[in-house]
Amino acid sequence: MRYWLYKSEPATWSWDQQKEKGAAGEEWTGVRNYQARNFMREMSVGDRGFFYHSNEGKEIVGIVEVVKEAHPDSTADDAKWECVDIKAVMDVPKPVSLEQVKAEPKLKDMVLVNNSRLSVQPVTEAEFAYVCELAGVDPEKAMKG
DNA sequence: GCCAACGTTGGC
DNA sequence: GCCAACGTTGGC
């Protein structure tokens, strides 16, 4: 089991819209960055991740799970671009802001802080657990389902 | 709305 | 294969 973070501008694709898709989930389309695509290729069904609102909000608002591994992105002209399908698992009671993440010494190495332009990124198990605590989520539930 | 950081493109 | 020009992301 690995952990990830997905960024989305709420004006384009929000957490509410993600939740409306329910257990079937939805394709995480639109990634046009090789690093981000390569991370998606590494994902397995069941991997958990954070859903982050960029630009507006700038906070982690929910927990998602991979339901389908990497496959061609139907919105891309070029077959090289791929996406996974993810579903919403749970809200976080206390969204964790970028500001909070930056203020936490334990989270100083998060990609979110160090590479602000990467839209799909890995999160370590320790980081994931700690952010869960800040978010008011039981890490056991968030990490094991 | 600005701009820094970063990635990609394309001329040479 | 270098690197200048350009485009995009996303924090501020």
Side-chain angles (χ1 to χ4, degrees):
Chain A
M1 160 90 64
R2 297 186 63 186
Y3 304 94
W4 310 95
L5 183 144
Y6 306 80
K7 283 189 197 173
S8 184
E9 291 190 42
T12 305
W13 183 253
S14 71
W15 176 236
D16 282 343
Q17 286 172 291
Q18 183 70 50
K19 284 194 290 185
E20 281 169 18
K21 292 294 173 179
E26 177 72 353
E27 293 182 314
W28 193 257
T29 56
V31 172
R32 302 289 182 270
N33 171 287
Y34 288 105
Q35 247 188 307
R37 182 205 63 185
N38 291 343
F39 285 132
M40 291 197 290
R41 284 181 171 173
E42 294 176 23
M43 293 179 183
S44 307
V45 169
D47 279 2
R48 289 291 171 94
F50 293 124
F51 192 106
Y52 175 83
H53 275 165
S54 63
N55 268 313
E56 270 176 76
K58 282 174 287 183
E59 57 189 10
I60 290 164
V61 291
I63 290 172
V64 296
E65 182 178 316
V66 176
V67 291
K68 188 176 178 186
E69 286 170 20
H71 57 87
D73 181 339
S74 58
T75 69
D77 297 333
D78 196 319
K80 69 188 178 189
W81 299 118
E82 298 179 10
C83 63
V84 294
D85 290 13
I86 60 172
K87 69 169 183 184
V89 174
M90 61 178 91
D91 288 306
V92 302
K94 294 184 291 180
V96 178
S97 69
L98 179 62
E99 198 179 6
Q100 268 180 287
V101 170
K102 283 184 168 175
E104 289 290 344
K106 286 183 185 171
L107 302 177
K108 69 172 170 42
D109 292 326
M110 274 189 81
V111 181
L112 186 65
V113 176
N114 298 306
N115 186 354
S116 65
R117 296 185 63 234
L118 188 61
S119 63
V120 175
Q121 52 186 253
V123 175
T124 68
E125 190 173 348
E127 288 163 352
F128 195 90
Y130 193 61
V131 172
C132 283
E133 284 179 32
L134 295 177
V137 173
D138 180 354
E140 289 287 309
K141 283 184 185 158
M143 298 171 83
K144 288 181 185 168

